[in-house]
Amino acid sequence: MTNVFMVFLGGGIGCALRYGAGLVVTSAMFPLATFVVNVIGSMAIGLFGGWASRFGWSEGMRLLLTTGLCGGFTTFSTFSKESLALAEAGRWCAFAAYAIGSVTIGIAAVALGYCAARH
């Protein structure tokens, strides 16, 4: 039950941070807030995973920060919805930049965070 609480706590914090990011980062032409959140969240989950491995974090701490915080903060479902909206609107360049950029930069950010945390 403790692990469930840790995920719940981290998820609530992550969701509140995500909401705040949407208020601060705005763009009428591109879903910039979701893009920024996904890249930051990818870096964070890489860092937390690397630190958990390096420092032997407890399962509860790992769940709080990765499954909870990062899971609540990142917005892949929103990313998918916004990608579809760009495609449906025929905004193919924005769609391609958003979809390809989110995935490739997100994966690179996870790798960078993980490597940085391990050294």
Side-chain angles (χ1 to χ4, degrees):
M1 195 60 158
T2 301
N3 286 346
V4 171
F5 177 75
M6 297 302 271
V7 171
F8 171 77
L9 180 62
I13 294 167
C15 288
L17 290 171
R18 166 64 186 102
Y19 175 73
L23 296 175
V24 173
V25 180
T26 61
S27 171
M29 298 301 296
F30 189 78
L32 186 60
T34 303
F35 183 81
V36 168
V37 162
N38 282 338
V39 171
I40 291 170
S42 294
M43 173 69 90
I45 206 166
L47 285 167
F48 295 150
W51 287 332
S53 174
R54 181 177 177 188
F55 299 116
W57 286 358
S58 70
E59 182 72 359
M61 180 59 73
R62 188 188 62 75
L63 288 169
L64 172 83
L65 295 173
T66 58
T67 305
L69 180 70
C70 291
F73 181 64
T74 59
T75 54
F76 198 77
S77 59
T78 303
F79 156 77
S80 299
K81 177 179 161 271
E82 290 171 342
S83 295
L84 179 62
L86 290 171
E88 287 179 333
R91 299 190 54 215
W92 299 110
C93 289
F95 166 78
Y98 184 54
I100 294 167
S102 292
V103 173
T104 57
I105 295 171
I107 291 169
V110 169
L112 180 63
Y114 189 81
C115 288
R118 300 255 327 179
H119 298 314

